[in-house]
Amino acid sequence: MATSNTYRRSEVLRSLWPWLPLWTVVALVAIFSHGPMPLYSTRTLAVAWEMWRDHNWLVPHINGEPYSEKVPLLFWLIHAGWLVSGVNDVWPRVLEVIFGGVQLVQLSVLAGRLFPARPWVQKAAPWMLLALSYAFLFGLQVMYEVLLADCVLGALLCLTPTLRRTEPRWLLFGVLTGAGLLTKGPVMMLHLLFPWLLGPLWSDWAREHRARWYGRGVLALLLGFAMLLAWAIPAGFAGGEAYQHRLFFTQTAGRVVNNAQQSQSVQSHPHWFGWYLVWLPMLLFPFTAWPRAWVAIGALRKPFESGIRFALCWLLPTLLLFSVISGKQWYYLLPEFGGWMLLLAGAMAVLRERNAKLAEGYWLGSWPLGVASIVFAGLLFALPYVTAGQAFHNAWVEGAAPYSRTFSVGFLLLGCLLLLRGRGEMRRVAIAGLLGALALNTLFTLTLWHKYDLAPATALISDAQGAGHPVAYAGNYEGQFHFAGRLSRPIGELRDGMAVQTFALEHPDGLVITHPDQLDATALRYALLAQPFRSAWVVVWPAPTLAMLQAGLTPPEPAEPPRVFPAAIPSLNVPQS
């Protein structure tokens, strides 16, 4: 038996090597090619930093206020690394890569359990998941969804049978449910609800032991909620009455029902019912542009085997439920991406068995992706010609033009790879998808990252706070300066027209940050610093100067002109008190 177990473990490890090291290297290169991305990563890091700085391990804070939008597990994991390495942005990014690798391994194991007679599914599913361009690029953010996906897949693994045990591992199911609840809150249940409720449709054990399936399942879910409440109740008392209300009602209801939010800080992101369905082809690219994938799904016929039934019971009602909910973001569906690839891999395996001609025919192969890649390479090669003329101006295109021809060679080679015939087509699609996403991320870093790099403004703001100058932001501040600047005090929020006047009167040595769409002549004359940010600008002003300009007055001439980026700036000055 020991020899058999050793052989089985060696086979599992050997099956990991074709895709896990490749994905890990590519993910590490991509995630460290530029700094943490505003506003996703910088907001997460800002919350982790404030908890760490103030030794407040119970209640997340952002900009000095309790942060009810998120629960603390990701922050605690970041803190665990900082205990060893000190505060840095390296560990949180390595942590995200670890989460992504765990997700691939979990999907491989899940596929092996659900399709025991089809070993190809276990080999193919992680390849397919790593190829998803959106999932890969979003996985570079220091965010909660990849950890949530790990918790969801881990909990689903607990429901599936193994060779030695057919009954679910209920205790571990409850613990992983609790971990998911501590990662993203009650939304964890939306990802788990239907695979468990519809268990008798895909699980033989659930069909034969319905009372135990639902009874023990309820107890396991109660254990998960007990873990959440073990944090939420003391956190609610510690955070105050307003925080309790947001934590237990507003931050969830504001996403579920349109206009239910009662605070500006709640991010509800409302969209219409069919929004996810419209964007699903983009989210599942490149496989939505692979004809064989559509044929495989379309060729599925009843009776479905248990793995297919599991995927359908998970994906279809979950997609419908998320579509009904008002709040929608692409990344909300990230935990289901593994399920879609599980369904596709299972369908491909069935097609390979039942219809070899459709499974191997060249005209259903990856050639459309190859042609699209070659066309894209041609467009990249032509960019310098397009931007050289005077008829077309676009900052994004003009930024990419100096490097576009180099990257056009890469996409040309990927296109040729996708045009090849023969075995290994799925792996070629996966490798091309992964390397194509890496190439786009690298091109973004070389050409457009300066529009997202807030280091100049952050340095000025950090120096100003260090010198005792108050700082305020005109509008809603998202924490984008706090972690990188290691800020020790909140940044004020000025939300109405007279707020700048009041702030300038109370703090004549203060600074005000604005976020205009265009950089006008007054900013180029009177501001301290101006830098591009995404498709707009960040401008830092002396508070009295901005107040005078808004009042229609002419401020005194500054001692020095403003620092305007992306020009090289030797130093940054702040007003002296």
Side-chain angles (χ1 to χ4, degrees), residues 295-314:
V295 171
I297 295 295
L300 285 174
R301 295 291 184 270
K302 293 182 178 180
F304 300 137
E305 54 191 276
S306 63
I308 299 293
R309 295 198 303 272
F310 171 87
L312 293 174
C313 289
W314 176 17

Side-chain angles (χ1 to χ4, degrees), residues 30-44:
I31 205 168
F32 285 105
S33 64
H34 55 68
M37 178 71 72
L39 299 164
Y40 288 140
S41 297
T42 54
R43 183 165 47 212
T44 304

Side-chain angles (χ1 to χ4, degrees), residues 540-551:
V540 183
W541 304 80
T545 298
L546 182 60
M548 292 182 70
L549 288 170
Q550 289 188 351

Side-chain angles (χ1 to χ4, degrees), residues 117-396:
R118 300 185 186 278
W120 187 87
V121 179
Q122 183 175 14
K123 296 176 182 178
W127 277 108
M128 292 180 172
L129 181 58
L130 68 81
L132 295 179
S133 301
Y134 175 79
F136 175 78
L137 293 173
F138 185 82
L140 304 180
Q141 309 302 317
V142 183
M143 284 283 282
Y144 317 87
E145 273 67 28
V146 183
L147 176 57
L148 178 65
D150 289 348
C151 296
V152 170
L153 287 174
L156 294 178
L157 275 169
C158 294
L159 295 179
T160 56
T162 66
L163 293 177
R164 296 183 178 180
R165 178 186 174 117
T166 56
E167 182 177 0
R169 291 148 296 282
W170 296 113
L171 179 61
L172 187 56
F173 177 71
V175 170
L176 288 169
T177 299
L181 291 168
L182 286 169
T183 298
K184 199 71 191 292
V187 73
M188 170 66 174
M189 292 306 303
L190 304 185
H191 299 286
L192 284 183
L193 184 65
F194 292 106
W196 171 64
L197 283 180
L198 302 178
L201 296 181
W202 62 266
S203 169
D204 293 337
W205 193 92
R207 193 159 46 252
E208 296 169 2
H209 306 88
R210 289 175 185 263
R212 291 166 66 184
W213 175 271
Y214 290 112
R216 296 184 181 184
V218 167
L219 293 177
L221 295 178
L222 290 176
L223 171 61
F225 275 101
M227 292 173 58
L228 177 64
L229 291 175
W231 163 78
I233 292 175
F237 282 111
E241 183 176 349
Y243 174 70
Q244 289 179 34
H245 178 73
R246 293 194 303 269
L247 180 66
F248 289 105
F249 173 71
T250 309
Q251 68 95 15
T252 297
R255 289 171 171 83
V256 174
V257 181
N258 195 13
N259 296 325
Q261 67 270 27
Q262 301 176 15
S263 169
Q264 283 184 296
S265 63
V266 175
Q267 304 157 11
S268 59
H269 311 296
H271 293 286
W272 67 291
F273 173 81
W275 191 78
Y276 281 129
L277 196 61
V278 169
W279 287 107
L280 201 59
M282 184 277 289
L283 299 178
L284 300 182
F285 183 84
F287 295 102
T288 47
W290 185 23
R292 205 178 317 280
W294 291 96
V295 171
I297 295 295
L300 285 174
R301 295 291 184 270
K302 293 182 178 180
F304 300 137
E305 54 191 276
S306 63
I308 299 293
R309 295 198 303 272
F310 171 87
L312 293 174
C313 289
W314 176 17
L315 298 172
L316 297 184
T318 302
L319 178 63
L320 178 62
L321 182 59
F322 271 90
S323 296
V324 171
I325 293 172
S326 173
K328 297 177 179 68
Q329 288 282 68
W330 292 339
Y331 56 83
Y332 288 176
L333 296 182
L334 202 68
E336 275 66 52
F337 284 12
W340 289 108
M341 295 303 99
L342 185 70
L343 175 63
L344 178 57
M348 292 288 293
V350 173
L351 185 69
R352 285 158 59 97
E353 176 186 296
R354 296 179 180 176
N355 195 322
K357 183 177 180 180
L358 292 178
E360 299 173 4
Y362 181 75
W363 293 109
L364 293 177
S366 58
W367 65 267
L369 286 164
V371 171
S373 184
I374 292 172
V375 170
F376 185 61
L379 294 175
L380 288 176
F381 190 84
L383 276 189
Y385 295 109
V386 174
T387 57
Q390 301 298 320
F392 180 82
H393 290 285
N394 182 278
W396 301 87

